[in-house]
Amino acid sequence: MSEPSAFLLSPQPRARWMRLDTAQLLKRFFFCERSLLVSESAWIPAIAPLDIKIGMARFIWQSAETAHALRNRVFELRFPSRLLEEQGADHALIELFGAVKDSPSVPAFLLSIGKVLLPALRDSYREYLEASDSIADGPTHRFLSLALSEKEEQIGAFERWAESSLSSNPELRESSVAWTKAVADQLSQVGGVGVGPSPSAPDAGPLPGSRPYVVPDRPARDPRFWPCRFYWPDVVDPAYPYGEGMQLQLRSAISHVNEVWAIEAGGVMLSAFADVLPWEWIHNAARWTYDESRHCRMGYERLMAWGLDPAEIPLGTYIYESASGQDPIYRLGMLYFFETKNIKHKPARAQLFHAYGDAVSEHDMDFDWADETMHAGYGKHWLKELLAVRGEDRAAYDQVRERCEKLVRDYVGTATAQEVADIKKAAALLITAARK
Ligand SMILES: [Fe+2]
Ligand SMILES: [Fe+2]
């Protein structure tokens, strides 16, 4: 018979992790989500299908919200804030999550995230929720349960996207599968994500087959649409009217779907300044990118509801390309420039749509206006912060805006007579199709 204890002891699993053990795990999850979303952001311009660009922007925002909640929770647990800025013993793992940014191709990128990184996070969140104490750690349970369900959805989407990307590029199947295996092997070599103590694994080095990421000069475009640089005649011909009535309804939807450039600019700038600006930058830029993807989708959905054929819808590249080859501060500057330039027209247009009885255009424009008001604030704030971090004058943010205006003007100046004629023809065709 065992000796009776002098203390009250009970076999309850609640105390498996103490406060600081919990904070260590949540910190690991934070860095994984952060690295993953930065890689995803960087890839938005390289991926052609519009539904993937839009869907990925939403997942980036979900990851940023989860990471934000994780980070706040780690602070609540009184984890030394100095240590929260450091990856610590999880360094090799976090590096691997960042290494998919150097994927060799679009399908390789999609497949390695969908088959390896996201399932690893999903399994770890599930284990965490099963093994942690829902009393002491109740606040984590709420947001991590949501994150777990979002991971399930993300895995399904990435698997579908990878498969469609592979079926249009069958020659990349072998290399994509090999890349995905290399990511999986390295993940197990560094100890996986999991809920165990940090293995303090040494950095595994570059993945075989990796290709250093570069920001694409030209954005990939969905081949279902009519490809062009300048997506409506008024961009290249100031005499061409913005229009009223049906032409305004159409023009506004064309603007919205062409905000695809803003999703891309959001992704590029998020990743370019992820290690330069504080966490709040990533959190704001992820929301910004997601908002632009919603504006793009608003336009797409309206055009589809009017029965128009994507092959007749111009999808342009000029705003993205105006900032190519420049300091990435001009990606941020472009968003700020276009938002502050257009915001004043939005309430009046929403009212016109109301007068036409076009409730959906009115609704979209009004929600868009609220988002853009928030974005104008983001733009000014982060341009100033970025200039300050670079040791430059914070007040020069307006010069960045002016330079963006010039970059766009110069780029528009490269439009050829043929391009001007072509977009006029395309616009006329679309207007005719809309009248039917
Ligand atoms: Fe927008
Ligand atoms: Fe915006």
Side-chain angles (χ1 to χ4, degrees):
M1 236 182 100
S2 62
E3 283 289 303
S5 167
F7 302 101
L8 298 168
L9 301 176
S10 66
Q12 290 191 46
R14 291 210 299 118
R16 172 173 171 189
W17 293 323
M18 291 298 162
R19 175 174 59 92
L20 291 180
D21 304 324
T22 297
Q24 283 285 5
L25 290 175
L26 298 183
K27 186 180 95 150
R28 178 187 303 167
F29 297 162
F30 163 74
F31 275 111
C32 289
E33 291 280 8
R34 182 191 177 283
S35 268
L36 178 66
L37 84 91
V38 170
S39 300
E40 288 171 346
S41 301
W43 274 75
I44 290 180
I47 295 172
L50 196 63
D51 61 317
I52 304 188
K53 287 189 204 271
I54 292 173
M56 205 143 79
R58 183 164 153 265
F59 294 161
I60 288 163
W61 168 69
Q62 290 176 344
S63 277
E65 289 298 319
T66 299
H68 197 63
L70 286 162
R71 191 169 182 275
N72 286 341
R73 183 69 184 137
V74 176
F75 282 132
E76 287 175 7
L77 293 168
R78 319 307 295 173
F79 192 77
S81 56
R82 181 179 51 83
L83 292 180
L84 183 58
E85 305 307 326
E86 294 165 12
Q87 300 163 2
D90 292 319
H91 186 75
L93 172 69
I94 311 305
E95 286 292 297
L96 176 61
F97 268 74
V100 292
K101 189 173 169 185
D102 296 332
S103 293
S105 65
V106 169
F109 173 77
L110 296 170
L111 198 65
S112 56
I113 292 184
K115 288 284 185 205
V116 183
L117 299 187
L118 287 173
L121 279 178
R122 175 200 57 200
D123 296 347
S124 308
Y125 291 175
R126 187 179 288 142
E127 275 184 74
Y128 183 94
L129 287 165
E130 282 164 7
S132 61
D133 177 22
S134 65
I135 304 173
D137 202 17
T140 304
H141 275 242
R142 182 177 176 276
F143 71 78
L144 210 63
S145 308
L146 172 61
L148 174 59
S149 67
E150 288 173 344
K151 287 288 164 275
E152 305 275 10
E153 186 198 352
Q154 292 170 13
I155 290 166
F158 267 86
E159 284 179 340
R160 261 194 333 275
W161 295 340
E163 210 30 66
S164 76
S165 179
L166 282 169
S167 55
S168 27
N169 301 281
E171 75 285 3
L172 295 173
R173 185 172 290 273
E174 203 176 313
S175 61
S176 300
V177 169
W179 169 257
T180 302
K181 186 178 179 306
V183 173
D185 289 349
Q186 210 169 87
L187 180 64
S188 69
Q189 200 184 318
V190 300
V193 181
V195 292
S198 301
S200 298
D203 277 8
L207 284 159
S210 70
R211 207 167 62 187
Y213 171 82
V214 279
V215 179
D217 280 341
R218 298 214 161 131
R221 280 286 169 271
D222 194 322
R224 292 187 302 137
F225 295 86
W226 189 73
C228 57
R229 293 199 297 162
F230 309 99
Y231 58 77
W232 206 246
D234 54 19
V235 174
V236 283
D237 177 2
Y240 190 94
Y242 204 84
E244 288 173 358
M246 198 199 70
Q247 209 168 313
L248 180 63
Q249 292 174 285
L250 208 51
R251 179 65 181 87
S252 167
I254 290 287
S255 267
H256 266 157
V257 73
N258 272 279
E259 284 194 33
V260 63
W261 78 266
I263 318 175
E264 294 161 339
V268 171
M269 71 183 187
L270 185 156
S271 85
F273 303 123
D275 295 330
V276 178
L277 292 170
W279 163 252
E280 274 303 331
W281 158 254
I282 298 183
H283 188 225
N284 286 173
R287 172 62 197 269
W288 198 344
T289 305
Y290 170 50
D291 290 351
E292 301 308 348
S293 78
R294 293 187 295 109
H295 303 162
C296 174
R297 179 148 177 219
M298 284 171 175
Y300 175 76
E301 297 290 339
R302 295 208 297 283
L303 292 162
M304 292 305 104
W306 294 330
L308 296 166
D309 176 4
E312 291 189 343
I313 295 170
L315 204 58
T317 57
Y318 83 101
I319 304 177
Y320 181 94
E321 285 169 9
S322 295
S324 288
Q326 304 286 331
D327 178 336
I329 196 172
Y330 296 111
R331 302 277 177 202
L332 170 56
M334 282 299 170
L335 279 167
Y336 181 60
F337 166 56
F338 277 96
E339 273 154 2
T340 47
K341 172 168 127 13
N342 293 331
I343 201 163
K344 57 181 181 288
H345 301 299
K346 296 192 178 198
R349 283 183 192 145
Q351 269 178 6
L352 281 172
F353 295 139
H354 181 81
Y356 303 161
D358 174 7
V360 71
S361 293
E362 177 194 0
H363 158 276
D364 287 358
M365 190 56 83
D366 214 23
F367 273 92
D368 167 294
W369 171 82
D371 290 335
E372 299 301 24
T373 306
M374 191 165 76
H375 299 171
Y378 286 166
K380 191 168 174 178
H381 173 75
W382 289 113
L383 277 172
K384 285 180 171 180
E385 288 300 303
L386 187 57
L387 289 164
V389 162
R390 292 173 165 192
E392 291 169 43
D393 180 8
R394 299 166 71 96
Y397 73 90
D398 225 31
Q399 281 152 253
V400 176
R401 186 187 184 278
E402 281 161 28
R403 169 122 171 92
C404 286
E405 189 170 11
K406 182 176 170 358
L407 285 170
V408 172
R409 200 170 46 236
D410 291 350
Y411 193 83
V412 168
T414 68
T416 63
Q418 186 64 53
E419 276 177 301
V420 176
D422 287 347
I423 187 61
K424 285 187 175 171
K425 212 164 98 189
L429 272 173
L430 200 65
I431 292 166
T432 311
R435 284 207 179 106
K436 275 181 195 158

